[in-house]
């Protein structure tokens, strides 16, 4: 009986204790401010921290530096869920984080990181029952779309294997197989497209394709993002991708025959990519232009571009501001602000022409605006041209580094264009006391072997000697840029463009000569512009004094690489491969090293004399 009574009393005590704990927990929960949501408004003007519970929310603020941030500690509060990091649509705010800072006492900490301490002073904090309001009204909202409007392609994206290995839903790219290829049934296409749409939340869904003669307009819902168009061979065609996109219906996958005989095809290349291919003998003549609302893409030959279907197609803009923002050694942003929505086309030609930006409704800015823009490792100035048939337009030409990749974004109102120039490798730090440095050009390379005698290729000898020259110059504290570092094909135009982009003190091209007259041997140095004569004299003198070969003199010539470079430029012929005795000498380590040392010393002497003037 005693045991039963003890068990009964123990049970009563346990129930009482459980009820008491539940009551205490309930009271405690009611006394807490339970944070359920952190809501930034889309305009970047306000942040709301909302919850339930305590009607009298208490908090304290602390301002910290390195980095500049505002800390808001909310007392007697609990965060529903885990810690969060929230994007704020405001260019003055870097990020916003919230987390349960402690559990005894219960404190939720909100940390807002700003660009400067002055930004923190402009933030106002208020409370309204179960809500804390952070007022950012005095700060600058960001209205640049997060999705890139344009970005450079990755080389691997457009390999021939990738182009031909299309998914079955992609229309066959070979024009000769149009009549023989069997497309999947409409039901299969629709099922596949629906499965893609069900699996992925795409940034853009393409819904309409309109065809007017040689003009095609592709429209959808969302924001377009295209890659740099690529010209491919066999058959000749222009190809580019629309990333993070899908087509709404298989009807959009039908090939389009243009009035000029070209073919345009749209294909769902993979789950996230729509690929556009134009088969044409003149791919370089086509323009791809995104509408100001970023929902339509115009594809047309350059002489047939028209924007009647675009919103704000008749507006004429003027420059409000141009900003050059040097983010770090590898990255520069160019921000172009217009009074009206912009209609533009962006084209990046590596090496040769840099970045070409066509504004069809924006006139060239005043010269003083451009002259005052700061230069950076990626931004080297702007040249301007007119656009035929568009008197209110302008063409902007940006010389770029070889390694620069381009990406652009457009504001939601289409008035602000943000172009990011980012080098794959950091811009060289020119360590010498001279202006910049030296561009060395090893003649020929890749598919251009140069002179060939007895199984010996000029391209292999020139890269060997040029690498040795580079070593000697670097030992002297001079930075060196090579037009090629290995056996690769680099066009003459590319070599000149590399030099003009890097803007060195001098350009030196190294070659081995050849002649039908097998008895000819000796050293020759060529220049074209008067400013290059002193460099030619300095290098040639060192070669003649240090290489056992006849002096054939300094001459002028119209070689492309020395005629199209803006800096002092020479071309050195360091012997004749066609002469048996000189060929044997050129191939020896002693001769190659003596040649490299002579050229390097000639360059160094020239730079020293230039510095002392």
């Amino acid at each position: 009986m005693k045991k039963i009574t003890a068990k009964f009393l123990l049970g009563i005590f346990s129930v009482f204790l459980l009820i008491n704990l539940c009551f205490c927990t309930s009271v405690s929960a009611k006394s807490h401010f339970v944070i359920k949501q952190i809501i930034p408004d889309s305009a970047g003007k306000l942040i709301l921290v909302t919850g339930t519970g305590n009607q009298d929310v208490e908090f304290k603020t602390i301002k910290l530096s390195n980095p500049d941030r505002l800390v808001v500690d909310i007392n007697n509060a609990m965060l529903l869920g885990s810690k969060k990091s929230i994007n704020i649509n405001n260019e003055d705010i870097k990020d916003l984080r919230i987390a349960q800072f402690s559990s005894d006492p219960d404190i939720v900490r909100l940390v807002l990181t700003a660009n400067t301490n002055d930004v923190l002073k402009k933030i106002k904090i208020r409370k309204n029952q179960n809500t804390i309001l952070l007022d950012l009204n005095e700060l600058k909202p960001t209205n640049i779309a997060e999705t890139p409007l344009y970005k450079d392609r990755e080389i691997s994206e457009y390999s021939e294997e990738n182009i031909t290995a299309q998914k079955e839903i992609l229309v066959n790219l070979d024009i000769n197989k149009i009549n023989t290829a069997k497309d999947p049934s409409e039901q299969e296409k629709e099922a596949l497209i629906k499965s893609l749409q069900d699996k992925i939340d795409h940034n853009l869904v393409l819904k309409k394709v309109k065809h007017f003669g040689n003009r095609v307009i592709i429209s959808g819902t969302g924001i377009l993002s295209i890659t740099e168009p690529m010209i491919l061979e066999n058959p000749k065609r222009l190809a580019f991708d629309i990333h993070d996109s899908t087509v709404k219906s298989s009807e959009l996958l039908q090939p389009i025959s243009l009035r000029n005989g070209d073919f345009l095809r749209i294909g769902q290349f993979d789950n996230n990519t729509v690929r556009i291919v134009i088969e044409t003998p003149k791919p370089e003549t086509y323009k791809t232009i995104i509408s100001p609302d970023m929902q339509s893409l115009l594809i047309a030959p350059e002489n047939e571009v028209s924007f009647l279907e675009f919103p704000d197609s008749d507006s004429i803009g003027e420059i409000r501001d141009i900003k050059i923002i040097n983010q770090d050694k590898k990255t520069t942003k160019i921000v172009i602000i217009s009074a009206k929505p912009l209609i533009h086309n962006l084209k990046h030609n590596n090496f040769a022409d840099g970045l070409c930006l066509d504004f069809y409704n924006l006139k060239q800015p005043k010269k003083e605006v451009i002259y005052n823009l700061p230069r950076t490792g990626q931004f080297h100035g702007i040249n301007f041209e007119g656009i035929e048939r568009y008197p209110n337009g302008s063409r902007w030409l940006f010389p770029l580094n070889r390694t620069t990749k381009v990406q652009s974004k457009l504001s939601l109102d289409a008035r602000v264009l943000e172009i990011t120039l980012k080098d794959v490798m950091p811009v060289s730090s020119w360590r010498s006391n001279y202006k910049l440095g030296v561009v060395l050009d090893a003649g020929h390379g890749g598919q251009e072997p140069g002179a060939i005698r007895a199984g010996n290729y000029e391209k292999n000898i020139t890269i060997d000697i040029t690498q040795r020259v580079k070593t000697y110059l670097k030992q002297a504290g001079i930075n060196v840029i090579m037009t090629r570092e290995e056996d690769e094909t680099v066009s003459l135009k590319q070599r000149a463009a590399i030099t003009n982009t890097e803007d060195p003190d001098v350009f030196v091209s190294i070659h081995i000569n050849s002649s039908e007259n097998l008895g000819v041997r000796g050293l020759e140095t060529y220049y074209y512009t008067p400013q290059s004569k002193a460099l030619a004299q300095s290098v040639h003198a060192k070669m003649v004094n240090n290489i056992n070969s006849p002096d054939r003199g300094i001459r002028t010539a119209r070689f492309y690489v020395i005629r199209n470079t803006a800096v002092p430029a020479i071309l050195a012929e360091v012997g004749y491969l066609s002469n048996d005795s000189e060929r044997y000498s050129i191939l020896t380590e002693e001769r190659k090293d003596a040649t490299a040392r002579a050229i390097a010393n000639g360059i160094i002497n020239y730079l020293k004399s230039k510095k002392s003037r």
Side-chain angles (χ1 to χ4, degrees):
M1 184 67 181
K2 288 181 179 180
K3 289 183 178 180
I4 295 173
T5 303
K7 288 182 179 179
F8 176 78
L9 291 174
L10 181 60
I12 293 294
F13 177 77
S14 299
V15 171
F16 174 80
L17 182 61
L18 182 61
I19 292 172
N20 187 55
L21 286 172
C22 291
F23 175 78
C24 292
T25 302
S26 176
V27 171
S28 176
K30 285 183 179 179
S31 65
H32 276 78
F33 175 45
V34 181
I35 298 172
K36 293 185 175 182
Q37 289 183 307
I38 301 90
I39 308 170
D41 75 326
S42 59
K45 296 288 188 179
L46 195 68
I47 302 170
L48 304 178
V49 181
T50 66
T52 58
N54 191 345
Q55 298 294 314
D56 188 18
V57 180
E58 296 293 336
F59 63 86
K60 65 178 181 179
T61 62
I62 309 169
K63 291 180 182 177
L64 302 174
S65 58
N66 296 322
D68 294 305
R69 57 201 187 278
L70 175 68
V71 176
V72 181
D73 281 346
I74 306 171
N75 297 323
N76 202 28
M78 293 191 299
L79 178 64
L80 197 64
S82 60
K83 61 183 179 180
K84 298 176 177 64
S85 180
I86 299 160
N87 292 324
I88 306 298
N89 188 30
N90 196 296
E91 66 182 40
D92 285 332
I93 303 299
K94 291 183 177 179
D95 64 55
L96 172 68
R97 289 171 287 124
I98 189 168
Q100 189 75 45
F101 179 66
S102 68
S103 299
D104 187 17
D106 291 317
I107 297 175
V108 171
R109 173 163 287 183
L110 183 149
V111 180
L112 188 148
T113 306
N115 289 330
T116 65
N117 185 53
D118 289 337
V119 170
L120 298 180
K121 296 176 182 178
K122 297 177 182 179
I123 299 173
K124 300 175 183 177
I125 305 178
R126 304 192 301 272
K127 61 180 181 178
N128 181 16
Q129 294 185 345
N130 287 334
T131 301
I132 296 175
L133 298 90
L134 282 78
D135 187 345
L136 314 178
N137 202 52
E138 295 184 26
L139 307 186
K140 299 176 183 177
T142 301
N143 63 345
I144 297 290
E146 286 299 314
T147 304
L149 195 67
Y150 164 96
K151 64 178 182 178
D152 279 347
R153 65 185 182 275
E154 297 297 331
I155 294 174
S156 59
E157 289 181 9
Y158 284 93
S159 66
E160 287 295 328
E161 292 180 0
N162 261 347
I163 287 292
T164 54
Q166 306 285 358
K167 304 292 184 183
E168 63 176 2
I169 195 169
L170 180 63
V171 177
N172 197 300
L173 299 183
D174 190 342
I175 191 170
N176 298 318
K177 297 180 181 178
I178 292 175
N179 297 324
T180 59
K182 293 183 178 180
D183 290 334
S185 68
E186 290 301 312
Q187 293 84 356
E188 289 173 334
K189 285 184 178 180
E190 293 289 359
L192 182 53
I193 290 172
K194 188 175 187 308
S195 70
L196 295 178
Q197 293 173 339
D198 290 343
K199 290 178 183 177
I200 299 173
D201 182 18
H202 292 90
N203 187 59
L204 177 76
V205 177
L206 298 176
K207 295 182 176 180
K208 294 180 182 178
V209 177
K210 294 182 179 180
H211 170 213
F212 310 93
N214 295 324
R215 298 169 62 247
V216 177
I217 296 180
I218 303 171
S219 303
T221 302
I223 296 178
L224 276 158
S225 177
I226 68 171
T227 57
E228 174 191 0
M230 178 69 173
I231 295 176
L232 300 164
E233 303 290 339
N234 300 320
K236 203 156 194 177
R237 59 207 188 275
L238 185 73
F240 61 91
D241 289 341
I242 304 175
H243 284 297
D244 197 12
S245 63
T246 185
V247 293
K248 183 179 181 182
S249 167
S250 64
E251 294 178 2
L252 302 180
L253 303 180
Q254 302 302 319
I256 298 172
S257 178
L258 304 181
R259 186 176 57 198
N260 58 11
D262 296 341
F263 283 87
L264 183 143
R265 310 175 190 283
I266 303 172
Q268 187 77 47
F269 181 65
D270 58 31
N271 290 1
N272 287 294
T273 309
V274 171
R275 177 161 289 173
I276 311 293
V277 178
I278 307 163
E279 290 189 19
T280 171
K282 298 179 179 180
E284 67 281 353
T285 64
Y286 277 83
K287 292 282 188 179
T288 54
I289 302 168
I290 295 177
S291 64
D293 63 3
M294 294 179 278
Q295 297 191 41
S296 298
L297 175 67
L298 168 67
I299 304 170
E302 186 171 13
N303 61 353
E304 297 187 42
V305 170
S306 174
F307 312 105
L308 296 177
E309 297 81 8
F310 282 3
D312 298 301
S313 62
D314 57 350
S315 65
I316 301 174
E318 62 180 29
I319 290 293
R320 288 284 176 85
D321 195 10
I322 302 175
K323 298 178 181 178
I324 307 298
I325 304 170
N326 189 16
Q327 291 193 311
D328 53 50
K329 290 182 178 180
K330 294 168 59 177
T331 311
T332 296
K333 282 190 177 182
I334 304 170
V335 181
I336 301 169
I337 304 172
S338 168
K340 299 286 185 179
L342 294 167
I343 298 176
H344 73 285
N345 165 264
L346 189 151
K347 184 178 181 182
H348 179 200
N349 289 334
N350 287 313
F351 300 110
D353 302 314
L355 175 64
C356 177
L357 181 59
D358 284 347
F359 287 113
Y360 293 92
N361 64 339
L362 185 66
K363 292 186 176 181
Q364 176 181 331
K366 296 179 180 179
K367 290 183 178 179
E368 53 266 26
V369 174
I370 303 302
Y371 291 157
N372 292 328
L373 294 176
R375 301 306 195 256
T376 71
Q378 294 73 40
F379 175 71
H380 309 295
I382 313 172
N383 297 314
F384 293 94
E385 295 178 358
I387 304 178
E388 190 176 353
R389 297 176 57 239
Y390 292 92
N392 294 316
S394 56
R395 175 165 292 161
W396 302 34
L397 303 171
F398 301 79
L400 298 181
N401 302 335
R402 285 186 297 163
T403 63
T404 298
K405 289 292 183 182
V406 178
Q407 178 177 286
S408 73
K409 293 182 179 181
L410 191 64
S411 64
L412 299 178
D413 63 2
R415 298 169 191 260
V416 181
L417 178 64
E418 179 186 281
I419 301 171
T420 301
L421 308 177
K422 186 169 185 177
D423 282 321
V424 177
M425 298 291 289
V427 177
S428 300
S429 57
W430 302 85
R431 297 184 296 104
S432 72
N433 293 324
Y434 311 120
K435 175 189 169 188
L436 288 177
V438 175
V439 169
L440 293 179
D441 175 49
H444 306 284
Q447 297 178 359
E448 299 290 338
I452 304 173
R453 287 292 189 279
N456 298 291
Y457 292 75
E458 180 185 357
K459 65 176 184 177
N460 296 332
I461 305 171
T462 59
I463 190 65
D464 188 346
I465 294 173
T466 306
Q467 291 283 13
R468 296 171 190 239
V469 176
K470 175 183 176 181
T471 299
Y472 286 124
L473 290 177
K474 289 179 74 69
Q475 288 174 357
I478 300 171
N479 200 43
V480 177
I481 296 292
M482 301 274 286
T483 59
R484 68 179 181 98
E485 294 275 3
E486 55 191 19
D487 186 18
E488 59 182 328
T489 304
V490 183
S491 72
L492 298 178
K493 190 175 183 181
Q494 289 172 343
R495 295 169 197 252
I498 291 168
T499 307
N500 292 332
T501 298
E502 296 293 344
D503 190 27
D505 280 300
V506 300
F507 168 88
V508 176
S509 185
I510 299 172
H511 286 254
I512 314 293
N513 220 329
S514 182
S515 173
E516 293 297 323
N517 183 350
L518 303 183
V520 177
R521 56 192 290 265
L523 309 170
E524 302 166 10
T525 303
Y526 294 87
Y527 72 97
Y528 177 71
T529 61
Q531 68 169 343
S532 304
K533 186 175 181 179
L535 173 63
Q537 291 171 332
S538 180
V539 171
H540 190 76
K542 286 293 182 182
M543 289 200 301
V544 170
N545 291 331
N546 292 277
I547 301 171
N548 184 20
S549 187
D551 178 6
R552 290 179 55 84
I554 300 171
R555 311 177 185 187
T556 58
R558 292 178 56 83
F559 295 129
Y560 188 97
V561 289
I562 60 175
R563 183 165 49 90
N564 289 278
T565 46
V567 300
I570 64 170
L571 187 149
E573 296 277 8
V574 299
Y576 275 74
L577 202 62
S578 52
N579 181 277
D580 288 345
S581 63
E582 184 147 74
R583 180 172 66 252
Y584 297 143
S585 174
I586 289 171
L587 294 173
T588 64
E589 290 296 305
E590 293 79 5
R591 172 69 177 264
K592 285 188 284 190
D593 195 67
T595 302
R597 191 183 295 272
I599 293 173
N601 286 336
I603 294 170
I604 292 169
N605 282 354
Y606 170 80
L607 293 175
K608 286 180 178 178
S609 66
K610 180 181 176 183
K611 182 184 176 185
S612 63
R613 290 172 195 166

